[in-house]
């Protein structure tokens, strides 16, 4: 594992701060069901960082919001740059190790190289190639790229390559992964279906 492909604590601290701001933006909007006030209902997760993101395991707080109005109490889970749905591994790991696995001949090689169990790698592969391409978030994201968008058949490698291309020849992995996290943020939650607008607003301010 080369030195530059290990994600540092500062990087996760930045992502955590963005997650906090995104949660704030969602909270400011109020409950989508009843218009009631959204209160913090954050909880702790136990994320796995694998080989590249061990530093990220210390950042456990999942920002979460809960409607304060009696009779509603619905949860709004803000988009996140760190957690990809309920997956135990951090999103950066799911992305980066899926890309590494794609370059290897066999699942056994992939398991040995990434340290991620073969069944997990298989599940991720299915998600990238079957569930993600038909998600509303991908349809929306795809339309935002200056054509051509990342090749669907090459996900997630094509997505990471596209992010690297934004930064040009000197692209650093962590910059590209942060950009991918922004792109992917709408798929990290189902309870805030228009999540991308909060993320876009956060990065604009
Ligand atoms: Zn409500």
């Amino acid at each position: 594992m080369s030195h530059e492909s290990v994600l540092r604590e500062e990087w996760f601290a930045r992502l955590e701060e963005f997650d906090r701001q995104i949660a704030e933006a969602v909270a400011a909007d109020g409950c989508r069901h009843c218009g009631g006030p959204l209160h913090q209902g954050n909880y702790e997760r136990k994320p796995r960082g694998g080989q590249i993101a061990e530093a990220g395991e210390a950042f456990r707080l999942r920002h979460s919001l809960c409607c304060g109005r009696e009779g509603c109490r619905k949860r709004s889970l803000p988009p996140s740059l760190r957690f990809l749905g309920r997956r135990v591994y951090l999103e950066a790991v799911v992305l980066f190790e899926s890309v590494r696995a794609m370059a290897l001949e066999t699942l056994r090689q992939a398991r040995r190289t990434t340290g991620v169990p073969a069944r997990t790698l298989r599940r991720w592969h299915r998600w990238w190639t079957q569930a993600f391409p038909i998600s509303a978030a991908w349809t929306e994201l795809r339309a935002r790229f200056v054509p051509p968008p990342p090749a669907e058949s090459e996900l997630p490698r094509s997505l990471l390559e596209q992010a690297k291309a934004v930064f040009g020849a000197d692209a650093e992995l962590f910059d590209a992964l942060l950009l991918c996290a922004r792109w992917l943020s709408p798929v990290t939650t189902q309870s805030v279906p228009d999540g991308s607008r909060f993320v876009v607003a956060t990065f604009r301010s």
Side-chain angles (χ1 to χ4, degrees):
M1 176 68 46
S2 64
H3 190 64
E4 68 271 21
S5 55
V6 173
L7 299 168
R8 293 162 185 277
E9 195 182 324
E10 301 86 66
W11 190 76
F12 284 101
R14 255 177 91 202
L15 265 64
E16 217 275 336
E17 173 57 19
F18 283 129
D19 275 4
R20 193 189 61 74
Q21 290 175 24
I22 293 165
E24 229 168 53
V26 174
D29 233 40
C31 175
R32 68 187 51 252
H33 302 282
C34 74
L38 287 175
H39 301 311
Q40 284 194 20
N42 302 338
Y43 55 92
E44 284 221 334
R45 296 199 44 173
K46 280 187 188 161
R48 267 186 229 158
Q51 294 177 357
I52 62 153
E54 209 188 323
E57 294 181 356
F59 296 86
R60 297 173 160 214
L61 195 72
R62 178 60 168 107
H63 293 274
S64 179
L65 300 158
C66 187
C67 179
R69 196 168 277 175
E70 208 64 59
C72 178
R73 302 280 186 205
K74 285 201 171 68
R75 191 164 69 117
S76 293
L77 196 63
S80 170
L81 302 178
R82 293 171 295 144
F83 302 109
L84 184 57
R86 298 165 82 164
R87 284 170 191 77
V88 178
Y89 284 90
L90 290 160
E91 180 186 274
V93 182
V94 178
L95 177 67
F96 183 75
E97 299 300 18
S98 295
V99 172
R100 278 215 293 180
M102 284 172 84
L104 297 164
E105 290 280 319
T106 66
L107 208 51
R108 212 168 128 192
Q109 281 178 330
R111 177 179 58 77
R112 213 177 289 145
T113 305
T114 64
V116 176
R119 65 174 183 283
T120 306
L121 289 170
R122 242 193 325 256
R123 211 167 43 230
W124 292 350
H125 177 72
R126 271 201 303 273
W127 185 79
W128 286 116
T129 56
Q130 293 169 27
F132 180 60
I134 58 166
S135 69
W138 169 245
T139 306
E140 194 194 315
L141 176 61
R142 209 173 169 273
R144 270 165 41 199
F145 287 109
V146 176
E152 237 164 63
S153 58
E154 290 292 312
L155 286 167
R157 179 168 49 209
S158 55
L159 193 72
L160 187 58
E161 289 304 318
Q162 192 100 3
K164 283 182 179 164
V166 170
F167 296 99
D170 301 325
E172 300 274 7
L173 179 69
F174 54 83
D175 283 331
L177 284 175
L178 174 55
L179 186 55
C180 285
R182 284 169 57 180
W183 288 342
L184 291 170
S185 53
V187 286
T188 61
T189 176
Q190 300 203 320
S191 63
V192 180
D194 56 347
S196 63
R197 70 187 173 96
F198 299 106
V199 180
V200 169
T202 297
F203 280 89
R204 200 175 284 143
S205 61

